[in-house]
Amino acid sequence: MNDSLPEFYCPYSDECYECCLDTEMTISISDVKRIEESGYNRSEFLKEKEGFLVLQNIKGHCYFLKDKRCSIYKVRPQGCRFYPLIYDFDVEEILIDELCANHTKFDVDDYDSISEDVIIYVNEIMAEKEMRLKKKERKK
Ligand code: SF4
Ligand code: SF4
């Protein structure tokens, strides 16, 4: 984690915060723990959606977007760090999200170095979701 970064930093735009609007970022248990260690309680920012853990959206933006800035920048979820790289479950591929206002600045081939990390993260999230759904099934 780079402590010298400002509270919010998008390497592609100083002013954009589009990816924090109308979003329910899917996150992992380790993301939740890291955010809680910084002083938040999961009951205020987390919800479950179809077995996945997601950040709550309030008034059209992510719970943690404050004054157009990410208020948990240093401990933000891994998925926010990877964005605009996303994993498309339909085609099972890592893609650049065209919803990113600056997506044309990217070439997915430039991201070989972190592609493996994206896959590891996606697998972690999928495994946690399966575990959660199985647990629920057992309780029925
Ligand atoms: S955690 Fe921060 S970077 Fe991620 S969606 Fe929310 S406000 Fe944006
Ligand atoms: S939408 Fe793209 S350009 Fe805008 S803040 Fe997110 S990553 Fe940066």
Side-chain angles (χ1 to χ4, degrees), residues 3-21:
D3 284 341
S4 64
L5 289 173
E7 189 183 349
F8 177 82
Y9 174 76
C10 168
Y12 324 111
S13 165
D14 288 340
E15 294 171 3
C16 183
Y17 51 94
E18 283 280 330
C19 48
C20 309
L21 303 178

Side-chain angles (χ1 to χ4, degrees), residues 67-79:
D67 298 325
K68 302 180 181 177
R69 295 288 180 260
C70 175
S71 58
I72 55 159
Y73 183 75
K74 289 179 184 170
V75 295
R76 72 199 187 286
Q78 199 60 45

Side-chain angles (χ1 to χ4, degrees), residues 8 31-32 35 37 41 44-47 51 55 61 67 70 75 81 83 92 105 116 121 125 128 131:
F8 177 82
D31 289 322
V32 174
I35 295 170
E37 279 164 14
N41 187 302
E44 54 184 313
F45 65 83
L46 195 66
K47 73 174 188 181
L55 289 182
H61 59 76
D67 298 325
C70 175
V75 295
R81 293 161 200 256
Y83 194 83
E92 298 184 353
K105 292 182 181 170
E116 202 173 311
Y121 184 60
I125 281 179
E128 290 173 1
M131 201 177 63

